[in-house]
Amino acid sequence: MKRHRWLLCLTASALAAVAPRPLGAQPAAGAAARIKIDPDRVIGEVHPHVFGNFAEHLGRCIYGGIFEEGSPLADGDGFRRDVMEAAKGLGVTLLRWPGGNFASGYNWKDGIGPRDQRPVRRDQAWDAIESNRFGTDEFLRYAEKLGVEPYLCINAGLGTVEDARNWVEYTNEASNTYWAQQRRKNGRDKPWNVKIWGLGNEIDGPWQLGHKNAEDYAKFALEAAKAMRRADTSIKLIASGSSNFGPAADWVGWNRTVLDRLRSEIDYISLHTYIGNREGNLEKFLAVSRDIDDRIEVVKGQIQAVRVGNPRARPIHIAFDEWNSWYRTITPGMTEAQIGATGLEEKYDFADALAMGMFLNSFIRHADVVKMANLAQLVNVIAPIFTNKEGLYLQTTYFPIAEYAKQRGLSSLDVLVESPKYKPDAGRELGYLDVSATYDPKSKQVYLNVLNRSDKADITARVENVAGAPAGPVSVWELNHPDLKATHTFGNDKVVRPVTRSASMKASGNGFEYTFPKHSLTILKW
Ligand code: AHR
């Protein structure tokens, strides 16, 4: 099946361009923008799982990324030590596996037992050869070593309910059942205790192996959920939500059916979004936050709709379990095999790094409902970490993610933002400043995350805090570069790096003025 739809860059390019309003039209003197923080206006906790990640059997993510048997860079388990260190530095809290599209053709039983006896298969999702040398026990051991929560995605494409149920027994059963005994035979006595399970991947997409309509998917997922919960009542389940945002796709209808049928079984519904800067137009590229916000808010409303009037309704949140910029190694009409052959080895630039802030700002602004998000993916495949046999380098996108991850567990604040606006296309206008804020009630520290998406103008904002102006210096983290296309490579990965400084702000009243440079991502902390 050919892919054509869900990349936001494609829908954007179909829209007529409208010249942005020049910033000169804004007040020339003093602050053009206003940002007001009130630590009492808490949206919700920025759940640590918002800094989740994803590792799929695709290209060089697992083999040659996470896992490289025989490499001098690998530890005794075959895990690349340098990749693990970089993943730690990224602040990863949760890891999704084994896919992705790969999950919809995967038989988990192929990946257990003595490695040399495991079957070599043709992976039908990406048309690649799968050695199965990295399987369930390797993944769970990796997650344990990395210190992250594992998240397994079942095969809801070509797989069966029984396979899904047995997988839970294999990983989580403490007694001496058949599958628990298999796990022990394979070297793991105590249960792995996997808490988070996905009920399939992108089943709404025609490109997916075992693609189903919403009703058929809901029937399958309901039975899988029941069976899996009987194997372990403590697990959390994620329904496959909308990933297909093509013009003909009824993504709202898909979510409505899935939520309606599965409401008493699921804890999350997933959302996936990839974006792209095909036109090389930063202000258009970063305007995609409108779609991200819209998608989250529509699904939030749909969740409310299935819970309203039932005080005992199960809480349901959004797991934004695939997100990233991805457009260089995919073009409309490519088959999955053609995409897979590229290895999805995107070389990220400075504009992509800014987009990381845009996504994370949106997740933080919706911290009441987005309780999980997974960057797709961890290494080599559309990833912030890039390896070869001798080492690795960090892509431009690595740095904002690592910095935002320090805000995990904090309270997201509902910030008032008045910013000069622009109209990047025929859609509604939006502010140049894209903002989120978090607050640590214990230390009383505020983090203010500001993306200036104007590629032409610095914007001065008056930053106010109802709790008062900063008592001391403000610490500034800033990511900026004159060349939006600046990238990294081996031996040259210090081009796009954040600068930090401590700044004494001239306070007036309960705030201060700060100028956010054009095309920059700034985190102020005080
Ligand atoms: O992350 C790459 C692919 O994008 C995943 O396998 C799939 O779920 C999505 O379409």
Side-chain angles (χ1 to χ4, degrees):
M1 170 57 67
K2 290 182 179 173
R3 280 187 177 240
H4 46 86
R5 22 66 280 146
W6 83 141
L7 296 167
L8 283 167
C9 53
L10 305 182
T11 47
S13 65
L15 299 168
V18 177
R21 188 201 301 167
L23 269 174
Q26 305 298 329
R34 182 172 169 231
I35 297 171
K36 187 177 159 203
I37 294 162
D38 179 347
D40 285 337
R41 292 187 60 88
V42 172
I43 297 171
E45 185 206 17
V46 179
H47 197 285
H49 290 165
V50 167
F51 301 98
N53 215 295
F54 170 37
E56 178 169 6
H57 289 245
L58 167 56
R60 297 189 302 119
C61 182
I62 302 292
Y63 305 106
I66 282 175
F67 184 69
E68 195 159 7
E69 291 171 290
S71 163
L73 297 173
D75 67 11
D77 288 315
F79 303 146
R80 282 275 297 250
R81 284 187 311 264
D82 53 346
V83 173
M84 195 172 292
E85 275 318 298
K88 284 183 182 159
L90 193 62
V92 178
T93 53
L94 165 90
L95 199 55
R96 177 176 185 247
W97 180 85
N101 295 349
F102 177 81
S104 297
Y106 183 55
N107 182 347
W108 67 269
K109 297 191 286 305
D110 288 344
I112 57 170
R115 271 189 209 146
D116 292 335
Q117 290 168 29
R118 296 183 193 171
V120 175
R121 304 264 189 216
R122 182 166 285 282
D123 153 35
Q124 300 173 68
W126 298 108
D127 195 26
I129 298 299
E130 173 56 52
S131 70
N132 279 308
R133 294 185 69 80
F134 187 95
T136 300
D137 293 296
E138 285 80 11
F139 170 70
L140 293 173
R141 174 114 179 95
Y142 188 75
E144 199 170 69
K145 275 192 162 177
L146 187 55
V148 302
E149 185 84 35
Y151 159 4
L152 296 183
C153 182
I154 68 161
N155 178 346
L158 304 181
T160 66
V161 167
E162 201 188 355
D163 277 346
R165 185 248 159 245
N166 290 342
W167 207 5
V168 178
E169 182 181 313
Y170 181 83
T171 58
N172 291 4
E173 180 61 55
S175 73
N176 65 348
T177 64
Y178 174 78
W179 285 111
Q181 292 295 40
Q182 298 307 303
R183 183 190 68 233
R184 291 194 181 96
K185 239 169 52 193
N186 295 334
R188 175 75 179 199
D189 182 27
K190 69 173 197 237
W192 288 109
N193 219 359
V194 179
K195 289 287 165 234
I196 299 176
W197 294 80
L199 295 169
N201 176 71
E202 296 189 352
I203 304 294
D204 63 327
W207 59 89
Q208 200 67 208
L209 292 170
H211 160 59
K212 298 172 179 54
N213 66 32
E215 285 292 350
D216 288 349
Y217 168 66
K219 273 187 205 142
F220 175 90
L222 190 64
E223 293 311 313
K226 271 160 54 186
M228 290 164 76
R229 275 241 164 73
R230 284 179 196 182
D232 181 348
T233 53
S234 71
I235 59 177
K236 300 263 184 233
L237 295 173
I238 304 171
S240 175
S242 45
S243 65
N244 184 2
F245 295 98
D250 177 15
W251 65 273
V252 174
W254 173 275
N255 289 333
R256 188 187 304 121
T257 304
V258 166
L259 282 165
D260 185 55
R261 307 293 188 275
L262 300 178
R263 66 174 109 175
S264 55
E265 287 293 341
I266 56 171
D267 303 283
Y268 306 84
I269 181 162
S270 73
L271 264 175
H272 290 181
T273 292
Y274 292 98
I275 63 168
N277 188 13
R278 254 176 228 287
E279 294 176 52
N281 179 332
L282 185 80
E283 295 187 358
K284 262 190 171 185
F285 177 47
L286 297 181
V288 162
S289 61
R290 286 173 305 183
D291 301 82
I292 299 165
D293 288 347
D294 284 349
R295 289 172 190 181
I296 293 171
E297 283 158 27
V298 167
V299 176
K300 178 180 170 178
Q302 294 188 296
I303 293 171
Q304 268 163 358
V306 297
R307 299 185 72 241
V308 72
N310 178 3
R312 293 171 57 202
R314 197 180 181 87
I316 300 174
H317 295 110
I318 292 174
F320 217 114
D321 58 13
E322 285 188 32
W323 66 270
N324 207 341
S325 173
W326 172 23
Y327 66 101
R328 298 168 181 88
T329 56
I330 182 169
T331 45
M334 274 170 101
T335 62
E336 308 310 307
Q338 287 166 333
I339 300 167
T342 69
L344 285 66
E345 299 202 349
E346 295 266 323
K347 298 286 154 44
Y348 287 117
D349 62 20
F350 170 54
D352 294 303
L354 294 178
M356 302 297 107
M358 177 191 66
F359 268 109
L360 291 166
N361 279 349
S362 181
F363 300 156
I364 291 172
R365 282 195 296 266
H366 297 97
D368 54 336
V369 65
V370 177
K371 293 294 184 189
M372 182 189 299
N374 302 64
L375 178 81
Q377 300 192 11
L378 184 63
V379 51
N380 294 331
V381 174
I382 45 174
I385 303 166
F386 201 90
T387 68
N388 64 13
K389 291 208 170 303
E390 285 77 48
L392 62 77
Y393 72 87
L394 304 177
Q395 298 233 47
T396 59
T397 51
Y398 183 93
F399 305 96
I401 300 169
E403 192 61 24
Y404 271 76
K406 295 177 185 162
Q407 296 173 54
R408 61 179 173 255
L410 302 189
S411 303
S412 161
L413 298 181
D414 182 12
V415 188
L416 175 97
V417 182
E418 291 167 2
S419 157
K421 291 195 162 43
Y422 72 115
K423 204 161 171 11
D425 50 38
R428 64 184 190 272
E429 61 177 10
L430 77 165
Y432 276 111
L433 298 187
D434 182 77
V435 181
S436 71
T438 60
Y439 179 65
D440 181 352
K442 281 195 216 106
S443 64
K444 305 226 179 307
Q445 192 154 67
V446 173
Y447 290 78
L448 180 65
N449 311 306
V450 181
L451 170 66
N452 180 357
R453 45 193 156 195
S454 169
D455 56 12
K456 297 173 204 67
D458 303 346
I459 297 179
T460 300
R462 179 166 163 76
V463 179
E464 297 166 10
N465 182 350
V466 296
V474 170
S475 88
V476 180
W477 178 99
E478 184 187 310
L479 194 69
N480 204 346
H481 197 276
D483 180 5
L484 296 171
K485 294 199 173 310
T487 59
H488 287 174
T489 189
F490 290 103
N492 187 20
D493 65 351
K494 305 235 172 347
V495 182
V496 179
R497 289 278 177 143
V499 291
T500 55
R501 61 179 185 275
S502 172
S504 297
M505 302 297 178
K506 207 169 133 229
S508 73
N510 61 358
F512 58 91
E513 283 192 5
Y514 190 84
T515 299
F516 297 97
K518 63 184 174 188
H519 54 64
S520 68
L521 181 64
T522 305
I523 301 177
L524 300 181
K525 191 172 74 169
W526 71 93

